[in-house]
Amino acid sequence: MEYTFTLPSFDGPLDLLLHLIKQSDINICDISIVEITKQYLEYIEKMEELNLDIASEYLVMAAELVEMKSKVLLPQQEENEEEEDPREELIQRLLDYQYYKESTKAFKELENIRKEVYTKEPSDLLEYREEKDLDLGISLENLLDAFQKFLNSKEFKKPLNTKIANKEYSVGKRCVQIRDILREKKQVSFEDLFDIPTKEYIVVTFLAILSMSKKQEISIEQTKNFDNIIIKEKRD
């Protein structure tokens, strides 16, 4: 009858030492060099009995443990009252290794969670926007340029010789006025709609034009670049 022996695999001698300490149910800082060395060498002997290849790093650690064990067993010299604990360096190495091992485990869990998340390249969602495009025979950018040129025009900058009484304007009322103009004339020049040279009136008029275009009430056309922009009544 054949027997199969299975030994746990370790990532290195420090990993094996942590395993032995855990099996002994002791704190890393309370390890006994004599006991841990004994357990470590027994494990190495098991590996040799099973004809397993032993990495050189395991043998190096075995030599270090034997050296530390010998220092612990040697009688203490009285003149060296504050002699260093031979376990100190090993304990620190084990604590550091345990910290990085636990951190690696946490990162591995995060990696597994991330594997469940699937991403895709960002898509162009402009075609799904709810807002209707303005019904422009020209681009909105060109319309804005025309509006800016109008604001900067010399005619608009000229001082007024007449007095204009203060009056409140609303986009809704201006839309009604533009509809009336288009019913009568069918079409009108963009600049002709800004017949009162006050900032409030001009801004409200421009917003009214954009609002009516968005509602598909008017069409805005320009035959070629730098030509006059024409506002037309849009019929069904």
Side-chain angles (χ1 to χ4, degrees):
M1 181 180 295
E2 295 183 357
Y3 293 94
T4 302
F5 296 92
T6 303
L7 293 177
S9 58
F10 300 99
D11 294 328
L14 290 176
D15 199 31
L16 171 56
L17 284 174
L18 282 179
H19 172 73
L20 296 174
I21 292 169
K22 185 176 181 181
Q23 276 192 330
S24 301
D25 195 25
I26 59 174
N27 189 286
I28 292 176
C29 297
D30 298 328
I31 60 173
S32 166
I33 290 297
V34 175
E35 186 61 30
I36 200 68
T37 301
K38 177 186 174 183
Q39 294 177 9
Y40 187 90
L41 293 177
E42 286 177 352
Y43 188 87
I44 296 298
E45 288 174 2
K46 280 184 182 179
M47 294 178 69
E48 289 178 338
E49 290 173 3
L50 295 173
N51 295 321
L52 298 177
D53 292 332
I54 303 174
S56 60
E57 57 183 339
Y58 286 90
L59 299 178
V60 170
M61 177 59 74
E64 291 179 1
L65 289 171
V66 170
E67 182 182 4
M68 281 185 276
K69 177 182 176 181
S70 65
K71 289 181 179 180
V72 170
L73 295 177
L74 286 175
Q76 300 293 326
Q77 297 181 3
E78 294 182 1
E79 60 270 18
N80 296 332
E81 296 180 358
E82 297 182 359
E83 190 173 352
E84 292 184 1
D85 186 346
R87 305 177 309 157
E88 186 175 341
E89 182 182 353
L90 177 62
I91 289 173
Q92 188 59 51
R93 288 168 63 187
L94 286 169
L95 289 173
D96 290 342
Y97 181 80
Q98 184 182 49
Y99 171 78
Y100 289 117
K101 183 177 181 179
E102 291 175 354
S103 297
T104 301
K105 182 180 178 182
F107 285 128
K108 189 65 177 176
E109 291 175 356
L110 291 174
E111 180 186 5
N112 292 333
I113 293 173
R114 183 64 181 82
K115 286 180 180 178
E116 301 298 321
V117 179
Y118 298 90
T119 58
K120 63 182 291 293
E121 292 296 322
S123 303
D124 183 4
L125 302 179
L126 290 178
E127 59 180 301
Y128 301 107
R129 61 186 177 185
E130 295 182 0
E131 183 178 353
K132 295 181 179 180
D133 291 335
L134 298 179
D135 183 24
L136 304 178
I138 61 173
S139 69
L140 179 58
E141 182 179 356
N142 288 340
L143 185 62
L144 290 171
D145 286 342
F147 182 59
Q148 186 61 50
K149 288 177 183 178
F150 173 76
L151 294 178
N152 296 333
S153 66
K154 294 180 180 179
E155 290 297 325
F156 182 66
K157 290 181 178 180
K158 285 183 179 179
L160 299 177
N161 294 323
T162 57
K163 293 183 179 180
I164 300 176
N166 289 333
K167 185 177 180 181
E168 291 186 1
Y169 301 99
S170 70
V171 174
K173 289 181 179 179
R174 188 62 182 136
C175 286
V176 172
Q177 293 173 353
I178 293 174
R179 289 190 196 101
D180 292 339
I181 293 172
L182 291 175
R183 286 193 189 99
E184 180 182 350
K185 299 183 176 180
K186 308 304 178 186
Q187 66 179 45
V188 64
S189 169
F190 174 74
E191 293 187 3
D192 288 345
L193 290 176
F194 303 94
D195 50 324
I196 300 178
T198 63
K199 289 184 179 180
E200 293 82 1
Y201 183 83
I202 289 171
V203 170
V204 167
T205 298
F206 185 71
L207 293 176
I209 292 171
L210 293 180
S211 175
M212 294 177 71
S213 180
K214 179 180 177 181
K215 295 176 181 177
Q216 306 292 316
E217 295 182 32
I218 59 174
S219 62
I220 304 174
E221 301 175 2
Q222 186 180 41
T223 306
K224 57 183 179 179
N225 286 342
F226 310 115
D227 268 7
N228 290 334
I229 295 175
I230 303 301
I231 310 294
K232 291 185 178 180
E233 180 184 23
K234 189 173 182 181
R235 298 180 179 178
D236 297 334

